[in-house]
Amino acid sequence: MTDRVLQPTEEGIGIAAERIRSGGLVGMPTETVYGLAADAGDERAVGRIFATKNRPADNPLIVHVADVEQARPLVDAWSDTCDDLAGRFWPGPLTLVLRRSGQVGDLVTAGHDTVALRSPDHPVASGLIRATGRPIVAPSANRSGHVSPTDAAHVLQEFPDEDFPVLDGGPCVHGIESTIVAIDDDVPFVLRPGAITLSALREVLGRVEAPVIGEQGAAPGTALHHYAPVTPATLVRTDELDELLAESEVPVVVLSIGPREADPPHSVIEMPEDAEGYARVLYRTFREADALRASVLIVEMPPLAGGLWRAVNDRLRRACVLRD
Ligand code: AMP
Ligand code: MG
C-alpha cells in the first residue's frame, strides 16, 4: 500500500503530473483537506473521479488553478471584485463561484452555468498544477459523504483498493474545506462557510449574505448529512453531557472541549479550545473515534460565536444528529 505514496519532491510531483496529463487520478495535499486530483479538461478523468468517490453527478467540482491568469479563461467575466478577492485571499481557502466560459465541461459543473474556482495555498498543490500545466479538479479524497482526509494516510484508508498515487504533503493546516462564495450581479453569498471567515470577507466586499448554520446550504451538494464519522454521532450541549454519560448503557466516546473526566467504559478525547485548533484536528479525531469502536460518539457543542466557529459548527451539524 505504501508504494502508492509519493514524496513531495520535484521527482514525485513530476510523476504525479504525468499521471494527471495521461488521464489518471492523484491524491493531492492542500491547505484545507486532501483532494483527489484530475485534469479538469479531460471528461473521462473527471468521470473517473465521480465513479471513484461514488459522488452524485449533480454535485459539481471545484477547479483548482495556480493563479488568476489560469482562472480568467475559465470564466465569462473576471470582475474587479474578483481581483479584490483573489488579491486578498489567493492563494488560499476561498472558492469563487462565477459564470463559466465555454472552456469548462458540463460534467465538472454538473450542468450549471457557473464554475467554482480556487487557487490552493500549498506548495505541493501549486507545484502539481504548474507541472501539469492545466487546471485541476480536486474534490476531497474520500468516499462521498464520509469524513475528508487531512493526511496522506487517510486517503489510502479511504481507497485501499485503488491504485492512484498520493503525494504526501503532511497534515493539512486548516483541516476543513474552503469557504465558497457566489459572485454574480447580486450581493455576494456564502454557499459554504469555511476557513475564510465572514468578517474577513466583509472587509473586502462590504455586504455579504450567509446561510443560517446547519440548514441545507444553497450550494449543490451541501447535503444536510455529510462529513460524517462511521460511529453515530450526537451534538450535545455542555450542561446535558454528564447526565447523558451517566445514563448511557453503551460505551461512549466524548469529544470534549478542554479537559473532562469520564468513567469506563466511556472515554474522552479532548479537543482544542480555539476554533483554528479545533478545525485542524476535527476530521482526524472523527477517524480516531471510529477506530475506538464505541457505540456512540457524543460531541460537546462548541461556542456559537462567529469567526471560524461558524464553519466548525456547520460541519458538526452535518456530521451529527442534534439532540432536541
Ligand atoms: P468539495 O466537495 O469540497 O470539493 O466542494 C465542492 C462543492 O463546491 C460542491 O459540493 C458545491 O457545493 C460547490 N460548488 C462547486 N461548483 C459549484 C457551482 N458551479 N455552483 C455552486 N456551487 C458549486
Ligand atoms: Mg468533500
Side-chain angles (χ1 to χ4, degrees):
M1 207 155 91
T2 44
D3 60 357
R4 290 172 58 195
V5 175
L6 292 174
Q7 293 311 306
T9 54
E10 213 181 307
E11 189 194 356
I13 291 173
I15 294 169
E18 194 41 51
R19 274 273 189 150
I20 291 179
R21 272 198 301 267
S22 56
L25 310 184
V26 170
M28 174 178 87
T30 80
E31 78 280 32
T32 59
V33 301
Y34 273 68
L36 186 56
D39 179 350
D42 180 337
E43 288 270 297
R44 277 185 59 188
V46 175
R48 210 165 283 148
I49 290 224
F50 280 96
T52 305
K53 282 181 56 84
N54 194 23
R55 184 176 175 106
D58 63 359
N59 190 358
L61 305 179
I62 296 173
V63 178
H64 294 68
V65 292
D67 50 30
V68 169
E69 286 324 300
Q70 208 175 20
R72 279 179 195 278
L74 306 175
V75 301
D76 186 32
W78 184 265
S79 64
D80 290 347
T81 306
C82 296
D83 262 337
D84 293 345
L85 287 170
R88 167 83 186 266
F89 299 112
W90 278 14
L94 180 69
T95 297
L96 304 180
V97 172
L98 300 161
R99 202 161 297 279
R100 68 163 150 151
S101 76
Q103 285 199 28
V104 186
D106 280 336
L107 212 51
V108 170
T109 66
H112 290 267
D113 59 1
T114 49
V115 62
L117 297 173
R118 169 168 118 77
S119 181
D121 186 16
H122 192 294
V124 179
S126 52
L128 181 59
I129 298 168
R130 287 182 206 282
T132 307
R134 301 171 193 174
I136 281 178
V137 282
S140 53
N142 53 272
R143 286 170 290 113
S144 190
H146 194 217
V147 178
S148 302
T150 56
D151 217 316
H154 301 163
V155 182
L156 300 177
Q157 261 173 35
E158 287 286 324
F159 300 106
D161 301 325
E162 300 288 335
D163 67 354
F164 62 79
V166 182
L167 274 165
D168 189 351
C172 301
V173 177
H174 291 295
I176 57 170
E177 297 78 3
S178 62
T179 302
I180 305 179
V181 189
I183 311 286
D184 50 28
D185 302 336
D186 293 329
V187 180
F189 188 84
V190 174
L191 294 170
R192 175 176 75 185
I196 300 289
T197 63
L198 205 49
S199 56
L201 284 175
R202 289 203 168 116
E203 281 172 23
V204 175
L205 290 170
R207 266 184 80 191
V208 188
E209 285 179 6
V212 176
I213 294 304
E215 285 186 359
Q216 166 83 52
T222 49
L224 216 41
H225 193 71
H226 204 135
Y227 313 110
V230 177
T231 313
T234 312
L235 196 55
V236 170
R237 289 203 317 267
T238 306
D239 61 349
E240 299 172 318
L241 243 168
D242 286 329
E243 197 185 323
L244 263 177
L245 275 183
E247 280 172 2
S248 176
E249 285 163 12
V250 295
V252 170
V253 175
V254 182
L255 258 57
S256 104
I257 299 181
R260 165 172 295 275
E261 299 289 321
D263 296 326
H266 308 315
S267 52
V268 173
I269 300 177
E270 190 181 324
M271 298 295 282
E273 295 180 51
D274 66 298
E276 284 73 18
Y278 195 108
R280 189 174 304 130
V281 301
L282 174 61
Y283 292 145
R284 188 211 312 163
T285 307
F286 277 166
R287 288 175 192 276
E288 282 167 20
D290 280 342
L292 292 174
R293 301 199 177 281
S295 304
V296 180
L297 179 63
I298 291 185
V299 181
E300 179 178 3
M301 207 179 277
L304 284 173
L308 194 61
W309 285 121
R310 270 184 74 82
V312 168
N313 277 296
D314 171 77
R315 300 308 187 273
L316 287 177
R317 275 163 174 70
R318 294 179 200 282
C320 303
V321 172
L322 258 184
R323 246 177 85 87
D324 52 18

